[in-house]
């Protein structure tokens, strides 16, 4: 008998050894400590007055190690906000009132995000101010998450189309982008002190959405 040759299509799989598992757990532990230290220090002394060295010291790591997780303080804010934004988006989309009109569904979704930003205080404001043009690795992750979120908003528009609430010829992605722009205008109004979070949700978002859906034609 001849020895059977291994199939060329077979892929070698690197086993997850205890050492690899420990290394990943250690990375996640440091990430969590960095985020926790940043939240605590930003709350105690403000974003502007806190340095990356302060955060590294509070987290119990070398300053150089911190830069493996965020390129600078601005990128660190994106690291801090990413998981909270993802969790909030998942929660509000999972609890959308299915039988409610589209406007009410959208106010429910984006209202949850408004509440998150308000709860984050100056960190939330710093995050929004840094959004335009942010290019760090954590900003890129947030941008990718936002793109996926837009598709989930578009899915709500599609469902409204099936109910006959939205015209069938509406481009759902353009609609989702327009809705997001109205939501973001409310966030900017809040940051500038023009509106409270409640006013951002009910005036800048709800009333603007109602007018958007009515249209401007006579």
């Amino acid at each position: 008998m001849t020895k059977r040759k291994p199939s060329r299509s077979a892929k070698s799989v690197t086993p997850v050894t205890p050492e690899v598992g420990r290394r990943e757990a250690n990375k996640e532990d440091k990430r969590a400590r960095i985020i926790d230290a940043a939240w605590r220090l930003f709350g105690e002394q403000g974003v502007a007055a806190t340095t990356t060295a302060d955060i590294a010291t509070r987290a119990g790591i070398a300053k150089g190690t911190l830069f493996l997780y965020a390129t600078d303080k601005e990128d660190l804010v994106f690291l801090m906000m990413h998981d909270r934004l993802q969790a909030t988006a998942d929660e509000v989309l999972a609890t959308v009132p299915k039988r409610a009109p589209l406007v009410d569904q959208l106010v429910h979704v984006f209202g949850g995000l408004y509440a998150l930003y308000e709860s984050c205080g100056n960190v939330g404001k710093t995050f929004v101010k840094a959004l335009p043009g942010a290019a760090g690795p954590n900003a890129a992750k947030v941008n990718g998450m936002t793109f996926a979120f837009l598709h989930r908003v578009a899915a709500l528009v599609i469902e409204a189309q099936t109910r006959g609430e939205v015209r069938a010829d509406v481009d759902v992605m353009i609609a989702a982008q327009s809705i997001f722009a109205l939501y973001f205008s409310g966030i900017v109004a809040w940051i500038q002190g023009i509106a409270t979070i409640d006013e951002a949700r009910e005036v800048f978002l709800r009333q603007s959405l109602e007018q958007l859906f009515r249209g401007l034609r006579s």
Side-chain angles (χ1 to χ4, degrees):
M1 293 180 63
T2 58
K3 290 185 179 180
R4 185 177 180 180
K5 294 182 179 180
S7 170
R8 291 184 179 180
S9 62
K11 296 181 179 179
S12 59
V13 178
T14 302
V16 178
T17 64
E19 180 182 352
V20 171
R22 284 194 298 271
R23 188 160 56 242
E24 290 302 315
N26 186 46
K27 286 174 59 178
E28 187 57 35
D29 175 66
K30 287 180 181 177
R31 180 180 183 273
R33 281 157 50 197
I34 289 168
I35 292 173
D36 180 67
W39 279 111
R40 290 176 182 276
L41 284 168
F42 288 161
E44 292 169 8
Q45 56 195 44
V47 178
T50 303
T51 66
T52 52
D54 294 334
I55 295 168
T57 299
R58 177 69 67 90
I61 61 171
K63 185 177 179 180
T65 300
L66 186 147
F67 292 128
L68 297 176
Y69 295 83
T71 54
D72 52 29
K73 189 163 66 174
E74 181 180 282
D75 195 49
L76 175 60
V77 171
F78 281 85
L79 174 67
M80 295 165 64
M81 290 295 294
H82 180 277
D83 291 357
R84 294 195 178 199
L85 280 167
Q86 185 67 70
T88 300
D90 289 343
E91 179 182 354
V92 295
L93 284 162
T95 55
V96 168
K98 296 299 183 183
R99 297 186 179 183
L102 180 58
V103 168
D104 289 341
Q105 292 180 336
L106 294 171
V107 171
H108 168 83
V109 169
F110 289 103
L113 294 177
Y114 283 144
L116 170 65
Y117 284 120
E118 184 176 39
S119 72
C120 291
N122 286 329
V123 175
K125 292 181 178 180
T126 301
F127 171 79
V128 174
K129 289 177 182 178
L131 270 173
N138 291 301
K141 291 179 182 178
V142 169
N143 288 334
M145 180 177 62
T146 301
F147 186 69
F149 176 76
L150 283 173
H151 279 79
R152 298 171 79 178
V153 172
L156 293 178
V157 179
I158 292 172
E159 290 174 3
Q161 285 179 322
T162 64
R163 297 194 300 266
E165 193 178 340
V166 174
R167 291 201 326 265
D169 63 340
V170 166
D171 185 309
V172 296
M173 281 307 299
I174 291 178
Q177 291 165 9
S178 300
I179 291 163
F180 191 89
L182 293 176
Y183 145 76
F184 199 76
S185 72
I187 287 292
V188 172
W190 170 62
I191 288 176
Q192 295 176 341
I194 299 172
T196 64
I197 280 293
D198 288 343
E199 290 168 340
R201 184 186 63 246
E202 296 300 325
V203 179
F204 283 84
L205 182 61
R206 183 184 291 278
Q207 293 184 19
S208 295
L209 286 172
E210 289 172 347
Q211 181 163 293
L212 173 67
F213 293 164
R214 285 197 304 270
L216 301 178
R217 287 184 178 178
S218 61

